[in-house]
Amino acid sequence: MKRLLLGLIVITSLQANAQQKSDAKMKTYVDALMKKMTLDEKIGQLNLLTPGGGVATGAVVSKGVEEKISKGQVGGLFGVIGEAKIRQAQELAVNSSRLKIPLLFGSDVIHGYKTTFPIPLGMSCSWDMPMIERSARLAATEATADGLNWAFSPMVDIARDPRWGRIAEGAGEDPYLGSQVAKAMVVGYQNGDLSKDNTLLACVKHFALYGAADGGRDYNTVDMSKVKMYNDYLPPYKAAVDAGVGSIMTSFNTIDNIPATGNKWLLTDLLRKQWGFKGMVVSDYTSVNEMIDHGLGDLQAVSALSLKAGLDMDMVGEGFLTTLKKSLGEGKVTQKEIDDACRRILEAKYKLGLFTDPFRYCNKERAANQVLSEKQKNAAREFATKSFVLLKNNQQALPLKKTGTIALVGPLANNKANMLGTWAVSGNRDLSIPVFDGMKNLGIKEVNILYAKAANISDDTIFAKKVNVFGTRIDIDNRSAQEMMDEAIAVAKQSDVIVAVVGEASEMSGESSSRSTLNIPKSQQKLLQELKKIGKPLVLVIMSGRPLDLNWEMENEDKFEKFKGNYLDVENSPLIPFGFGLSYSSFNYSDIKLSAASLNTTGKIKATVTVTNTGDYDGEEVIQLYTRDMVGSIARPVKELKGFQKIMFKKGESKEVSFTIGVEDLKFYNSNLKFVAEPGDFKLFIGGNSKDVKETTFKLVK
Ligand code: BGC
């Protein structure tokens, strides 16, 4: 054991030496380059533009891009898709600009690149970290084969208000799960080595607290105590930094009334000084300019404020490009501040190997072989299978029998336009396979599938117009609602089972797509009510970018309690507890065995349960560990996720599953923002979701 430890120490110190050497080499290179650069060229590196032509992800696109590249006024581009176009732009940079500095090419590779994987919220529901890491690895392979070197992902904003449309883009509400996902994504994209031609520079976003917009309304103010920030909202960003993420994107919101993009406490004190982040920081789309609307001054003032706060690169707004020289002349920013920002961008380019070969990601052959390859598509299919969540399975209606007649109905049953989900900017919807085609493709002769659209996603034309900004997602049929319903009912009556594919259009979630109500639109609710009356087994396949209010669909039981945190006019207990998900099988948990009744600050406790597959199928179960700190110096959560394992059990199989808990797992930020564990009584829970758990107690002693 000692020898092994010694071996590890030697390897670690060798690695540290190698790192120091390569950092020193990079410094020498960047120093020499910066010596040759004029002030204008340095400021040019801080400028990130989008020439348009792709899917717009903001309100404005950049002008005069080619000329600016030739003049050395651009550090990077995004929204340029495809190897040939990227090569063209890179040629311009390295052939026409004075110092031939290559460009960064970024994109919103959010859930896959051209091969589109399930939306991030769906992926997180798999609780399968190796799979999530693999999805980022595959996305990096495909995107780099097509010329890109920078992904604006992972989005790790904790989101607890499902009205917020961007809840679709992250891992949801939980800091622990969110941190695991953040780490898996960063490792998947960067693979520990940016110098490879199949790894992408990751960009964790939106720093910070963007998911806590008041009222779930996109871009709204965030107002939060530091304790909540540190305990609940910051952990996933921190996990990404600890995993070595190379870049960070600021958020649109304010924090303590200072916009994140110009917030020195956030970008310098916390990110760089406390967390030791060494990569580059980019603004969000014109978020520097938006500080003018926040009342922080004119473009010159907000640009200077952002640079001084620690922002390195300005996305689209060109405030840095057009005002920093003037600000330097007037003593409002320093040369060092400009140099530091420029250095960090050049370092990212150096790490990506762009100075060695600016065209290393432009490889026609790789693009032809790896983009939308069979390997990618098979993975997408596997990821989709694993991110479905089964909420209810009365009378074992699922899995469907491989004989008989299925009525496949609903506006999303045969709908290519919505299959990719939100934020699939490089995906081609026409290539997607809707449920109807997928079912037919199985080619099961004994199954007869009858299809009817049955309803529009929504009948509301004004609503549809707002959702359809990127193309038709809500397609309002020429037929009347009654005609469609009649057809669906006729089809349903001829079937053995009805499968209704309902929910949200893809752009009912995503950026600038907040909703005030979480229901399935009325047109579809009506459909479900009519289908239910037929009395045949009814399977709902729900597609959405957010948790929906499924009270009617799930037949919830109301538990109102006076003088508790209830609403009067809606059901109160969560319809589905955090961590819930059925499989075709069922699982039994034994009581928890602890290796000891207490632990001290250097010790560990092992908690073990025996889990048995008691159903008729092999199946996977996500075994979850929660703790509760019974008495604290601040109010503590009633349950905190501390660990999980996703394990396959054969039919009838039992396995012992153990978790080890140490003092680190019991720490939290107290009111002085110290990360502490407080001695005392704890509860420990293990189960298949946060509600149905086995429970025991232990003590933390000094
Ligand atoms: C979004 C970012 C995105 C950027 C570039 C912004 O509107 O907030 O998440 O990365 O556009 O497309």
Side-chain angles (χ1 to χ4, degrees):
M1 178 66 183
K2 251 193 201 151
R3 194 174 294 163
L4 192 70
L5 215 64
L6 205 65
L8 277 178
I9 292 167
V10 173
I11 289 173
T12 319
S13 78
L14 283 179
Q15 276 168 345
N17 276 344
Q19 187 59 46
Q20 272 169 8
K21 270 194 195 152
S22 78
D23 285 355
K25 227 173 130 192
M26 174 168 78
K27 186 170 180 312
T28 311
Y29 185 90
V30 173
D31 280 348
L33 177 57
M34 283 183 65
K35 269 200 192 122
K36 294 186 218 155
M37 293 173 82
T38 62
L39 174 63
D40 287 325
E41 283 166 337
K42 286 177 181 171
I43 293 173
Q45 286 303 305
L46 320 187
N47 196 25
L48 175 64
L49 297 182
T50 185
V55 174
T57 57
V60 290
V61 290
S62 317
K63 301 218 171 62
V65 176
E66 293 187 11
E67 195 192 336
K68 283 175 186 155
I69 294 175
S70 308
K71 286 189 180 161
Q73 292 180 337
V74 184
L77 292 181
F78 71 101
V80 184
I81 299 300
E83 185 271 339
K85 282 192 189 164
I86 289 179
R87 175 180 287 278
Q88 229 182 338
Q90 195 68 300
E91 274 170 357
L92 196 62
V94 299
N95 295 334
S96 323
S97 70
R98 190 181 75 92
L99 289 173
K100 308 184 182 322
I101 299 175
L103 299 170
L104 289 170
F105 288 94
S107 184
D108 290 287
V109 179
I110 306 295
H111 45 113
Y113 172 56
K114 286 192 176 160
T115 312
T116 308
F117 303 142
I119 58 168
L121 190 60
M123 290 293 279
S124 76
C125 290
S126 71
W127 295 66
D128 189 334
M129 297 307 121
M131 181 184 96
I132 290 174
E133 182 182 321
R134 193 153 55 90
S135 76
R137 190 80 286 289
L138 285 168
T141 309
E142 195 186 35
T144 53
D146 214 19
L148 294 169
N149 46 46
W150 188 19
F152 300 153
S153 171
M155 187 282 217
V156 304
D157 305 322
I158 292 291
R160 294 180 166 181
D161 190 330
R163 291 173 296 183
W164 190 54
R166 300 196 79 170
I167 197 169
E169 275 176 74
E173 69 196 274
D174 186 75
Y176 181 84
L177 181 63
S179 299
Q180 301 298 314
V181 172
K183 181 175 157 197
M185 296 287 284
V186 171
V187 172
Y189 287 133
Q190 301 191 162
N191 212 21
D193 187 357
L194 287 177
S195 75
K196 293 271 158 38
D197 67 4
N198 66 359
T199 52
L200 277 174
L201 176 70
C203 183
V204 67
K205 67 189 189 185
H206 304 82
F207 194 57
L209 322 182
Y210 182 36
D214 276 358
R217 191 162 149 181
D218 209 0
Y219 316 125
N220 208 358
T221 307
V222 171
D223 193 6
M224 189 185 287
S225 72
K226 284 267 174 9
V227 163
K228 187 166 180 181
M229 230 183 253
Y230 273 75
N231 283 314
D232 297 353
Y233 280 78
L234 293 177
Y237 309 105
K238 170 80 164 48
V241 169
D242 291 345
V245 73
S247 67
I248 292 202
M249 188 186 292
T250 63
S251 55
F252 289 120
N253 55 282
T254 56
I255 295 171
D256 288 338
N257 282 39
I258 301 174
T261 303
N263 194 314
K264 191 163 194 191
W265 170 77
L266 185 75
L267 303 185
T268 299
D269 299 348
L270 178 72
L271 181 63
R272 295 205 186 275
K273 294 191 182 152
Q274 281 187 40
W275 292 359
F277 177 66
K278 299 219 163 33
M280 67 180 218
V281 179
V282 61
S283 76
D284 202 348
Y285 210 114
T286 61
S287 66
V288 173
N289 312 56
E290 287 172 22
M291 288 164 64
I292 303 171
D293 295 332
H294 283 295
L296 276 278
D298 61 11
L299 188 59
Q300 183 185 353
V302 295
S303 302
L305 185 68
S306 306
L307 183 80
K308 292 185 95 59
L311 183 76
D312 302 319
M313 202 171 207
D314 174 8
M315 190 193 287
V316 183
E318 300 193 290
F320 277 9
L321 187 76
T322 55
T323 70
L324 283 187
K325 196 173 181 181
K326 186 163 180 246
S327 290
L328 181 66
E330 293 171 1
K332 290 179 176 148
V333 300
T334 64
Q335 182 68 50
K336 181 168 184 320
E337 284 157 352
I338 295 175
D339 283 355
D340 283 350
C342 176
R343 175 180 296 279
R344 291 193 278 251
I345 291 158
L346 295 176
E347 283 179 356
K349 294 182 178 184
Y350 180 95
K351 286 180 197 155
L352 287 164
L354 289 169
F355 290 114
T356 316
D357 176 6
F359 299 101
R360 61 201 314 256
Y361 303 96
C362 296
N363 177 334
K364 260 197 195 128
E365 209 175 302
R366 263 190 75 201
N369 293 334
Q370 293 178 355
V371 175
L372 289 166
S373 67
E374 279 312 301
K375 183 178 170 195
Q376 296 280 344
K377 287 191 256 179
N378 288 338
R381 187 194 174 89
E382 177 200 335
F383 300 162
T385 315
K386 290 193 173 163
S387 57
F388 273 94
V389 183
L390 181 59
L391 296 179
K392 192 171 165 182
N393 196 8
N394 284 5
Q395 285 128 37
Q396 297 276 306
L398 294 171
L400 292 175
K401 290 195 187 65
K402 292 184 179 160
T403 53
T405 300
I406 298 173
L408 180 68
V409 300
L412 289 161
N414 188 19
N415 189 322
K416 285 185 179 230
N418 290 291
M419 280 307 283
L420 301 186
T422 186
W423 271 113
V425 294
S426 308
N428 179 350
R429 280 155 214 275
D430 293 336
L431 298 179
S432 62
I433 301 172
V435 180
F436 186 31
D437 292 354
M439 276 185 157
K440 282 187 300 188
N441 291 347
L442 287 175
I444 304 171
K445 284 200 199 84
E446 295 74 22
V447 173
N448 181 24
I449 306 164
L450 305 174
Y451 163 75
K453 178 175 170 184
N456 295 315
I457 293 175
S458 165
D459 291 332
D460 181 340
T461 49
I462 297 171
F463 178 69
K465 203 169 157 207
K466 293 184 203 164
V467 170
N468 290 348
V469 279
F470 299 139
T472 308
R473 304 286 187 265
I474 298 182
D475 141 48
I476 300 192
D477 211 278
N478 291 331
R479 290 170 297 170
S480 71
Q482 193 56 51
E483 269 175 273
M484 284 194 282
M485 182 82 81
D486 290 346
E487 185 192 14
I489 289 171
V491 157
K493 283 187 173 158
Q494 296 167 52
S495 70
D496 301 304
V497 56
I498 308 165
V499 178
V501 190
V502 294
E504 292 187 314
S506 55
E507 305 314 321
M508 280 167 69
S509 62
E511 187 168 356
S512 186
S513 295
S514 297
R515 296 181 63 201
S516 69
T517 47
L518 302 174
N519 56 355
I520 293 182
K522 280 201 190 85
S523 53
Q524 301 181 64
Q525 279 180 10
K526 227 167 130 197
L527 168 70
L528 298 181
Q529 282 155 6
E530 293 305 316
L531 292 175
K532 194 177 170 205
K533 285 184 201 157
I534 297 172
K536 302 252 169 99
L538 176 58
V539 177
L540 303 193
V541 179
I542 296 169
M543 295 189 188
S544 72
R546 56 161 60 75
L548 292 177
D549 171 357
L550 301 175
N551 279 304
W552 180 82
E553 291 78 0
M554 298 281 290
E555 291 165 342
N556 192 21
E557 191 190 310
D558 189 11
K559 283 196 191 121
F560 176 82
E561 284 180 79
K562 194 70 186 162
F563 307 117
K564 291 283 164 69
N566 299 296
Y567 290 108
L568 281 175
D569 50 353
V570 289
E571 322 285 339
N572 284 291
S573 44
L575 188 55
I576 300 154
F578 177 80
F580 180 86
L582 298 173
S583 87
Y584 294 148
S585 210
S586 52
F587 296 89
N588 179 270
Y589 285 70
S590 72
D591 287 339
I592 304 168
K593 279 187 287 178
L594 288 186
S595 58
S598 65
L599 82 159
N600 61 22
T601 49
T602 55
K604 303 265 182 215
I605 280 189
K606 197 163 143 188
T608 305
V609 286
T610 302
V611 181
T612 307
N613 179 345
T614 50
D616 290 333
Y617 294 87
D618 296 349
E620 281 181 311
E621 172 77 344
V622 181
I623 298 130
Q624 300 156 42
L625 169 78
Y626 296 85
T627 58
R628 177 172 186 181
D629 187 350
M630 297 307 290
V631 180
S633 59
I634 61 170
R636 305 283 291 120
V638 290
K639 269 179 198 142
E640 284 181 278
L641 180 67
K642 294 292 178 183
F644 57 86
Q645 297 177 43
K646 186 168 186 174
I647 298 178
M648 171 60 95
F649 293 81
K650 294 235 164 288
K651 179 180 160 185
E653 189 179 16
S654 287
K655 284 181 191 169
E656 279 203 341
V657 180
S658 297
F659 295 92
T660 304
I661 298 140
V663 72
E664 287 303 312
D665 302 304
L666 306 176
K667 287 187 173 171
F668 63 96
Y669 288 92
N670 67 13
S671 50
N672 299 319
L673 301 181
K674 291 259 160 356
F675 195 49
V676 294
E678 296 175 343
D681 291 330
F682 286 80
K683 277 191 179 175
L684 183 147
F685 315 87
I686 299 180
N689 64 65
S690 57
K691 183 165 161 265
D692 305 309
V693 286
K694 294 287 178 178
E695 168 177 339
T696 186
T697 57
F698 69 93
K699 271 185 200 305
L700 174 67
V701 293
K702 278 195 187 136

